[in-house]
Each structure stands twice: as C-alpha cells, then as structure tokens.
Amino acid sequence: MDLPEPTFDDVTHLRQAIHQASLARARGDHPFGACLVDDEGRLLMEGGNTVVTSGDGTAHAELALLSRAMRELGRDRVRGATLYASTEPCSMCAGAARWAGIGRVVFGTPQEEMAGFGSAGAQSARDIRCRAVLAAAGGEVQVVGPMLQTEARKVHEGFWPD
C-alpha cells in the first residue's frame, strides 16, 4: 500500500503540534499537542493535553481540540481539515478524528516508540494503531507518519516515570 507523502506544510504544522506538546508539559500536563489546519493551509486551532490540569482522563490534545473546533467553528469548517499530532493519536482520538470528518492525520512519534518512555508509555504503546482504527471505521482519512521523530521524541524524554 502506498502511503501519502508529507509536504513542506506538514513539517511546519507538525512542529506547531510539537510546540503545543512542550507547552502542555511545561504546565504539568502530559506532553502531547495538536493543531488543526484547513485545506488551504490556514491554522484553525491548536492545543495541548490537559489530562492532569483538568482532571479529565479524556482531555487528550487531539480529542479536546476536535471537540472545541466542532463547537466553535462548526462541522463544515472542520470537515476535511488536517489534524497534526505530536504523537500518533490513540484509538479514542483517532475515532474522534473520524467522527469529526477529518481528511488527514499527520503525526510525529509512533505509538510503539512510546514503550521506551517508562510504564505509562509502555501502556500507550499497546493501543490500537491510528491507521487501523481509521481503516476499520471506514471513510477516506489519510494518515501520514511517523515523521520528525527526533523532534517529536524530545518532548517525552525524562517525563514518564519508570
């Protein structure tokens, strides 16, 4: 199967998602970030994980961003957009991308690499892959990644307990 190739804009926007992950980490949340970009390359919204600061275990960067975008921008603006995620979306976030009508998902660190970041990362690495969730859900969501792995990995280093 041929996988879609990343573009220059993918690199730029994925770096924005990685930056959001570093902001989440700096405020005490898990180091995950995401941004949403329309089909003309305009940044619609960005955000980071707030699981710790909100006390909500579902406040993953991607899910929170998509939920907010649907409320504030509406389904028509979100449909077909690209979701950039610093780390491969978990099954919950991949499902949210499908239900939001996202056209593409671009991610940095793959889930299997999370196993090297301690016990919490090892649990994350056992999740169902983003591509598998989106393929099972049907639709035409393209997935690009992993990419910028060295940059995306740095935000996790030293964060997760052993």
Side-chain angles (χ1 to χ4, degrees):
M1 169 169 94
D2 290 337
L3 297 177
E5 290 293 318
T7 67
F8 174 77
D9 286 342
D10 288 339
V11 171
T12 300
H13 295 303
L14 184 54
R15 283 187 172 135
Q16 287 176 278
I18 295 167
H19 177 68
Q20 288 297 315
S22 68
L23 294 175
R25 179 179 176 156
R27 72 172 170 267
D29 281 301
H30 300 159
F32 299 98
C35 63
L36 191 62
V37 175
D38 72 12
D39 59 359
E40 294 182 21
R42 292 180 298 229
L43 178 67
L44 298 174
M45 200 171 276
E46 59 190 339
N49 180 290
T50 60
V51 166
V52 175
T53 56
S54 70
D56 179 354
T58 67
H60 292 193
E62 304 91 336
L63 179 61
L65 179 69
L66 290 169
S67 180
R68 191 173 122 227
M70 294 293 278
R71 283 190 315 274
E72 294 179 16
L73 302 174
R75 185 175 196 88
D76 289 341
R77 290 278 317 272
V78 174
R79 186 180 294 119
T82 299
L83 175 66
Y84 292 89
S86 61
T87 303
E88 182 177 359
C90 71
S91 54
M92 175 180 69
C93 293
R98 162 62 173 86
W99 286 108
I102 294 300
R104 295 174 73 232
V105 172
V106 179
F107 68 89
T109 304
Q111 288 177 12
E112 60 267 15
E113 205 166 294
M114 293 297 296
F117 295 121
S119 59
Q123 184 164 349
S124 175
R126 290 191 296 268
D127 199 12
I128 302 168
R129 298 295 174 266
C130 177
R131 280 185 179 88
V133 171
L134 292 168
E140 297 295 322
V141 182
Q142 288 186 338
V143 179
V144 178
M147 58 183 282
L148 301 181
Q149 287 176 259
T150 301
E151 291 177 47
R153 181 184 314 117
K154 284 182 183 175
V155 74
H156 291 282
E157 292 174 353
F159 179 83
W160 301 102
D162 289 331

